Amino acid sequence: MSQSSNPCLSCGACCASFRVSFYWAETTLAQAEGVPVELTEPITPHYDCMKGTNHKQPHCIALQGVVGQQVSCTIYHQRSSTCREFDWLEADGQISKDCTKARAKYHLLPLTQL
């Protein structure tokens, strides 16, 4: 899929719907190209999360733009494994239930297969 046809570039609902937690060693405390530690907060001795996502109404600090219109991640190349592994399609080609749930929160229609 080309970047221009990626539905995530106009959505961002997942970044503003779920806590983004990951092992602390994914941060710049452990690796130079990791998630910038200043954009994270600890949630356990071994796990951090992106600031803004450990709230009742989560919204990742790295998300820029307007959900459902046009968005971008300010740390895309340094994003966590949690973000890298989230996909709008499941392995079987079906639309992700988590994606559909996040989109519904922002009154966006579910995606359909291309």
Side-chain angles (χ1 to χ4, degrees), residues 62-74:
L63 181 66
Q64 282 191 335
V66 178
V67 173
Q69 294 180 21
Q70 184 174 359
V71 295
S72 66
C73 175
T74 61

Side-chain angles (χ1 to χ4, degrees), residues 20-99:
V20 180
S21 56
F22 46 89
Y23 187 58
W24 74 269
E26 291 188 44
T27 71
T28 51
L29 286 177
Q31 51 184 301
E33 295 300 316
V35 178
V37 71
E38 64 274 10
L39 300 182
T40 70
E41 61 183 67
I43 53 174
T44 74
H46 301 287
Y47 284 89
D48 288 354
C49 71
M50 292 301 296
K51 285 184 178 176
T53 66
N54 197 25
H55 300 286
K56 187 175 182 177
Q57 305 252 343
H59 192 281
C60 183
I61 191 171
L63 181 66
Q64 282 191 335
V66 178
V67 173
Q69 294 180 21
Q70 184 174 359
V71 295
S72 66
C73 175
T74 61
I75 61 163
Y76 185 78
H77 296 291
Q78 292 175 275
R79 70 195 187 283
S80 72
S81 61
T82 305
C83 299
R84 291 176 191 278
E85 292 167 5
F86 191 92
D87 197 346
W88 65 281
L89 285 176
E90 299 289 350
D92 64 2
Q94 297 297 310
I95 303 298
S96 161
K97 288 180 175 62
D98 286 335
C99 173

